[in-house]
Amino acid sequence: MCSHSQRVLPKRIILVRHGESQGNLQPTAYDTIPDPKIQLTPEGIAQARHAGHRIRHVIAGEGSTNWRVYFYVSPYARTRSTLREIGRSFSRKRVIGVREECRIREQDFGNFQVQERMNVIKETRQRFGRFFYRFPEGESAADVFDRVSSTHFFFNYCNGFLESLWRDVDMNRLNHDPSDDLNLIIVSHGLASRVFLMKWFKWTVEQFELLNNFENGEFRVIQLGSGGEYSLAVHHTDEELLEWGLSPDMVADQKRRASASKGDWNDPCSWYLDAFFDHLPDSDDDNVDKHDETDSLSECS
């Protein structure tokens, strides 16, 4: 059992997409190079190094001197290289540790990817829907969601948060000094990062479909708000969130989370109910009145 009074929550969880890769620059690279072995381009190396500078500025920019970072990284060559370049912005005393996590790897598109065939497949995916379309011999975004949020990686533990992360925090596997701000940095891929956000914020499939992919070397900061909830709106602006594909209602939800007391953020969220119901009456009396009126009309017919 975990103790909420003893838990020292991470101040930030930062999701980073790898820098530009050979596959981003020239998709035909996948014809002959296995996806996990695709390397960064020189531009991708520069993007990753710049991301490290920017992330350090986010962490240290508030004037805190007591902070540490812990990394989780996909096992692919391009994410590991991105991690190495990001790491250049941090001294050894700032880095608690790093863990390779296979379940945050890239979506599986099959084995070698012949470009002409992939063009047809991706066109079909656009018509079918990005979340549920499964690549032949590969995965759908739904499959990635399952392995990111399965009981093996994220388990219904204490508050139902992401199990591996929270167990690391709760059991102090990170050897973290509670007096330091803890920052968890996840170096992964565009789709895996988007389904992570979907799981974290309990977004619907329809909301997921609105999201734009991360640019290479781009990152999102999930930061602890003043009331104990995490939000993208603590660090990011409304304009950024809208640019990334969040709807105005989703942005408003993030702003509520930024200042809401823990557990209270969803109290005013009628927009979420409205996504599933045409209309819910404000009270039982309203509902009874409508049923009575319907019944009366039925009796008269």
Side-chain angles (χ1 to χ4, degrees):
M1 296 292 291
C2 68
S3 171
H4 299 295
S5 62
Q6 296 175 358
R7 172 185 286 173
V8 179
L9 295 174
K11 184 169 185 177
R12 300 176 188 86
I13 299 173
I14 301 175
L15 302 169
V16 192
R17 186 187 177 196
H18 60 80
E20 180 189 73
S21 72
Q22 295 169 324
N24 298 133
L25 186 64
Q26 182 51 265
T28 55
Y30 294 107
D31 291 357
T32 56
I33 305 173
D35 197 357
K37 295 183 179 180
I38 293 285
Q39 301 288 334
L40 293 182
T41 64
E43 175 63 18
I45 292 173
Q47 289 171 340
R49 194 171 299 182
H50 182 56
H53 294 322
R54 293 175 59 213
I55 290 170
R56 183 186 174 97
H57 178 74
V58 168
I59 294 172
E62 296 182 359
S64 171
T65 57
N66 297 325
W67 56 267
R68 298 291 185 274
V69 296
Y70 190 94
F71 292 95
Y72 294 86
V73 63
S74 158
Y76 281 34
R78 57 189 179 272
T79 43
R80 289 175 61 97
S81 295
T82 298
L83 171 67
R84 281 193 290 272
E85 298 305 319
I86 289 174
R88 296 180 188 277
S89 293
F90 300 93
S91 64
R92 183 173 292 275
K93 77 170 188 175
R94 296 292 188 182
V95 180
I96 300 173
V98 61
R99 180 176 303 162
E100 182 177 281
E101 177 48 70
C102 190
R103 284 158 288 203
I104 56 172
R105 68 187 185 275
E106 176 64 289
Q107 179 181 9
D108 188 349
F109 298 105
N111 295 318
F112 292 105
Q113 302 163 34
V114 179
Q115 190 56 39
E116 291 79 5
R117 180 170 180 256
M118 289 300 294
N119 290 339
V120 174
I121 288 172
K122 288 182 178 180
E123 182 181 339
T124 304
R125 179 181 62 170
Q126 285 298 109
R127 291 186 285 110
F128 190 88
R130 290 187 302 168
F131 189 75
F132 291 112
Y133 181 80
R134 179 178 287 116
F135 283 83
E137 303 174 357
E139 294 179 303
S140 65
D143 293 325
V144 178
F145 181 93
D146 287 344
R147 64 168 155 84
V148 167
S149 61
S150 70
T151 54
H152 296 291
F153 186 52
F154 302 133
F155 182 71
N156 188 20
Y157 181 70
C158 296
N159 279 340
F161 286 104
L162 314 178
E163 187 265 348
S164 280
L165 296 180
W166 293 130
R167 287 204 178 196
D168 286 346
V169 172
D170 287 335
M171 301 175 70
N172 200 23
R173 291 172 176 166
L174 309 183
N175 297 314
H176 168 240
D177 184 338
S179 65
D180 293 332
D181 288 339
L182 175 61
N183 299 271
L184 304 180
I185 302 175
I186 301 172
V187 184
S188 184
H189 307 264
L191 180 71
S193 297
R194 279 179 284 146
V195 298
F196 184 102
L197 291 170
M198 179 186 181
K199 171 67 176 177
W200 187 278
F201 293 117
K202 300 178 176 64
W203 289 337
T204 65
V205 171
E206 183 178 1
Q207 289 168 326
F208 170 86
E209 295 279 5
L210 297 173
L211 302 177
N212 298 318
N213 200 10
F214 292 33
E215 297 293 336
N216 291 119
E218 195 174 34
F219 59 86
R220 309 281 191 265
V221 180
I222 306 172
Q223 186 161 329
L224 196 62
S226 57
E229 284 288 347
Y230 285 93
S231 171
L232 291 165
V234 176
H235 175 75
H236 298 293
T237 65
D238 292 7
E239 290 73 20
E240 286 178 307
L241 299 181
L242 290 169
E243 182 182 341
W244 296 338
L246 277 72
S247 69
D249 282 338
M250 293 166 74
V251 173
D253 176 48
Q254 291 297 317
K255 294 174 75 172
R256 280 191 291 266
R257 287 173 176 267
S259 57
S261 298
K262 190 166 181 62
D264 294 339
W265 69 267
N266 60 343
D267 288 349
C269 286
S270 60
W271 66 269
Y272 193 80
L273 292 177
D274 291 343
F276 293 94
F277 301 102
D278 292 332
H279 176 71
L280 293 177
D282 293 331
S283 71
D284 287 344
D285 291 339
D286 292 341
N287 204 33
V288 168
D289 291 343
K290 289 181 180 180
H291 280 303
D292 288 346
E293 181 179 345
T294 302
D295 291 342
S296 297
L297 290 173
S298 298
E299 291 171 1
C300 294
S301 60

